[in-house]
Amino acid sequence: MKIIIAGAGEVGFHLAKLLSYESQEITLIDSKKDSLIYADTHLDIKVVKGDATSIAILKDCRVDNADLFIAVTSSETTNITASVLAKQLGAKQTISRISNTEFIDFKDEVGFTRFGIDELISPESLAAAEIELLLNQSVFSDTYEFEDGALTMLGLNLSRTAAIVGKSVKDAAKLMPEVHFMPIAIQRFGSHLTIIPRGDTLLKEGDHVVFMTSKGGDEEICKLTGKFKTEIKNVMILGGGKIGSKTARDLTDNKFNIKLIEKDRDIAMDLADELPNTLVINGDGRNVELLDEENIEDMDAFISVTGNSETNIMSCLVANSRGVKKTIALVENMDYFELSHSIGIDTLINKKLLAANNIFRYIRKGEVVAMTKLNNMDAELLEFIVKPESKICNKLIKEIKFPRSAIIGGVIRNDEGVIALGDFKVEAGDRVVVCCLPQSIKKVESFFY
């Protein structure tokens, strides 16, 4: 695919980096030379210095041949304008990053597609939605929903007392009369190796295991791993920026009790007016005395989403030491993901990764309708729609010669999620969720052409 990315900031560079690994033809546009130098020397892509809203620049980048135009500059206006121009000049699909979440809320009413924008993405909205999902699945450190929860991906670490530790995947499944879950990826404790499990794969203490679940699967996993689902009601949020304020607004709408700490007095005053159901506190969340004064030990969850990754990590560690059950930190440095499970923070979230996951489904071949990369794992989850001519159509799963580094996690049929085992027959119209390592993606895609 020929892909043009406008904006060499965090999201744009991260996207260009991921896509360059996949041998896509990438052009990166930015008006600042400094932003392009690193990309030019470290990535196998073409860089162009200039304004993404310049018709001459877009033509110079041969936008008329572009399969996908992605505008992710820091300016919402620039992104919208550049996407509209790119579409009018011949780009097949356009994606625009926006910060005003109202645009997403009313996108059907306004009809952005009519004037040339196929998809709007807001990393801040994606982060807020991810946080809410994590709070609703409080036991688990990784979550992702397919088709409004028909299938849900859940990840956790296996403790020594878990009933499935020391058992093979096949034997673990026998512990429940009806199976509503399946392990789809394992990372061994102390290792960066990602394993796609088979029936004879042993589950070991300390493993970080990602499961695919249908309705009721989360409760089965809790029973087998000795985890207890606890209701989260009282939440403290550190940071009143776009993510913090949107998260507070969404959570109060869903009857959570929210305390939000913001150190900038003017921002705190504005937030107090905008969020009448949230207790807004003007103070520095790095001050442990302030956290104690605000009864951090009574909180069920602590979410740190300031603009500083180190502040977010350290404040979550403080919350953890005060007995807070669920801690979530926003980080910008992708390398920090490898630390999350070892330093005691439940979940790290990253806007770049969330935005990239959202955009990636436009790059994948076959009828990919959803996609996510597993946190701190070298694996992807892809949701395909089965067409009548697909190689996988009308075959039993045990007859499909999938590569060993890929596994079918589940199937959605008629809006119902099914953990599909060997005797399940795949039909046209099914939505099949596959977990696979990067080296097998192209092979997997070929089953759904």
Side-chain angles (χ1 to χ4, degrees):
M1 287 179 78
K2 179 174 170 53
I3 301 167
I4 298 173
I5 301 171
E10 290 176 342
V11 176
F13 177 80
H14 183 63
L15 267 173
K17 182 180 176 183
L18 292 176
L19 294 171
S20 68
Y21 292 156
E22 307 207 347
S23 303
Q24 308 286 358
E25 187 185 339
I26 311 296
T27 301
L28 183 63
I29 307 172
D30 200 281
S31 57
K32 296 175 185 171
K33 186 178 180 181
D34 290 349
S35 301
L36 294 171
I37 290 173
Y38 189 82
D40 192 25
T41 54
H42 287 76
L43 305 178
D44 184 20
I45 63 173
K46 178 184 176 184
V47 300
V48 174
K49 181 183 177 298
D51 183 352
T53 61
S54 161
I55 294 173
I57 291 288
L58 292 174
K59 284 189 170 184
D60 183 48
C61 295
R62 297 177 57 223
V63 71
D64 56 317
N65 290 327
D67 297 295
L68 183 60
F69 180 88
I70 306 168
V72 285
T73 74
S74 57
S75 165
E76 180 177 74
T77 307
T78 298
N79 295 338
I80 290 172
T81 305
S83 296
V84 171
L85 290 172
K87 190 74 168 190
Q88 298 304 318
L89 291 170
K92 292 186 179 69
Q93 273 193 311
T94 60
I95 300 173
S96 183
R97 173 188 178 175
I98 50 100
S99 52
N100 183 352
T101 55
E102 271 192 341
F103 288 161
I104 291 177
D105 297 336
F106 297 102
K107 68 176 181 181
D108 294 331
E109 194 175 323
V110 174
F112 283 92
T113 51
R114 288 202 300 271
F115 52 84
I117 302 174
D118 296 303
E119 188 70 39
L120 295 169
I121 62 157
S122 163
E124 293 78 18
S125 279
L126 293 169
E130 177 85 352
I131 289 167
E132 188 171 355
L133 183 57
L134 286 163
L135 294 183
N136 289 328
Q137 292 286 0
S138 57
V139 170
F140 304 97
S141 57
D142 307 316
T143 58
Y144 189 86
E145 286 188 343
F146 294 90
E147 307 308 317
D148 298 322
L151 290 174
T152 305
M153 178 269 284
L154 301 169
L156 51 64
N157 293 339
L158 295 184
S159 60
R160 181 174 50 81
T161 55
I164 57 178
V165 165
K167 291 185 167 54
S168 67
V169 168
K170 199 173 183 180
D171 290 338
K174 292 175 184 174
L175 296 174
M176 284 287 170
E178 287 185 50
V179 181
H180 297 103
F181 67 91
M182 176 188 287
I184 56 172
I186 299 171
Q187 187 177 52
R188 294 285 187 220
F189 181 71
S191 158
H192 296 309
L193 181 67
T194 301
I195 300 167
I196 301 297
R198 297 290 158 188
D200 58 355
T201 303
L202 281 179
L203 298 165
K204 299 180 180 180
E205 178 187 351
D207 281 353
H208 183 71
V209 185
V210 176
F211 296 91
M212 185 59 63
T213 67
S214 56
K215 294 275 171 34
D218 55 341
E219 292 172 11
E220 291 178 1
I221 294 170
C222 285
K223 284 180 188 173
L224 293 175
T225 57
K227 306 281 186 183
F228 296 96
K229 290 183 88 171
T230 52
E231 185 184 14
I232 288 180
K233 205 69 185 165
N234 301 313
V235 180
M236 185 177 284
I237 300 172
L238 182 59
K242 288 174 182 172
I243 296 175
S245 57
K246 173 139 182 63
T247 299
R249 187 178 291 106
D250 292 349
L251 293 180
T252 50
D253 288 345
N254 288 312
K255 308 301 184 238
F256 287 85
N257 301 320
I258 308 296
K259 282 186 180 181
L260 189 153
I261 300 175
E262 169 54 49
K263 68 177 181 179
D264 186 293
R265 189 175 184 279
D266 292 336
I267 293 174
M269 296 290 283
D270 289 342
L271 287 171
D273 292 335
E274 292 170 22
L275 304 168
N277 297 319
T278 296
L279 176 59
V280 179
I281 298 147
N282 176 217
D284 190 340
R286 294 172 296 183
N287 185 333
V288 178
E289 284 184 11
L290 172 67
L291 297 178
D292 287 335
E293 283 172 14
E294 295 302 332
N295 303 315
I296 190 172
E297 72 277 2
D298 295 334
M299 295 296 123
D300 300 313
F302 182 87
I303 301 162
S304 192
V305 287
T306 74
N308 186 293
S309 300
E310 288 75 18
T311 295
N312 296 337
I313 289 172
M314 293 307 295
S315 56
C316 278
L317 291 176
V318 170
N320 200 281
S321 73
R322 298 299 194 271
V324 178
K325 294 187 284 283
K326 186 79 175 175
T327 53
I328 301 171
L330 176 74
V331 297
E332 294 303 326
N333 190 331
M334 298 294 289
D335 296 333
Y336 287 155
F337 269 91
E338 297 180 9
L339 301 173
S340 62
H341 301 138
S342 59
I343 63 176
I345 296 174
D346 291 313
T347 308
L348 299 180
I349 58 172
N350 180 280
K351 290 188 296 182
K352 293 178 285 188
L353 194 59
L354 291 169
N357 287 346
N358 199 267
I359 290 169
F360 249 73
R361 69 179 188 268
Y362 293 91
I363 284 93
R364 295 285 175 235
K365 294 175 184 172
E367 290 291 316
V368 180
V369 288
M371 174 267 171
T372 185
K373 280 183 173 304
L374 300 185
N375 282 356
N376 200 24
M377 283 190 175
D378 193 24
E380 292 185 14
L381 269 178
L382 302 165
E383 180 188 352
F384 295 92
I385 295 177
V386 178
K387 296 183 280 191
E389 63 272 20
S390 299
K391 293 177 192 172
I392 200 170
C393 191
N394 296 322
K395 287 192 175 163
L396 299 178
I397 284 180
K398 63 185 178 185
E399 296 172 347
I400 302 164
K401 291 184 171 58
F402 249 38
R404 287 193 66 80
S405 52
I407 188 171
I408 292 177
V411 176
I412 300 167
R413 181 178 290 170
N414 301 323
D415 298 325
E416 289 289 322
V418 180
I419 300 303
L421 303 177
D423 291 323
F424 184 90
K425 189 176 185 180
V426 179
E427 297 176 359
D430 285 350
R431 291 169 177 259
V432 177
V433 178
V434 178
C435 182
C436 56
L437 302 185
Q439 64 264 30
S440 58
I441 287 173
K442 284 186 168 53
K443 183 83 184 286
V444 167
E445 287 175 338
S446 69
F447 285 91
F448 296 91
Y449 288 164

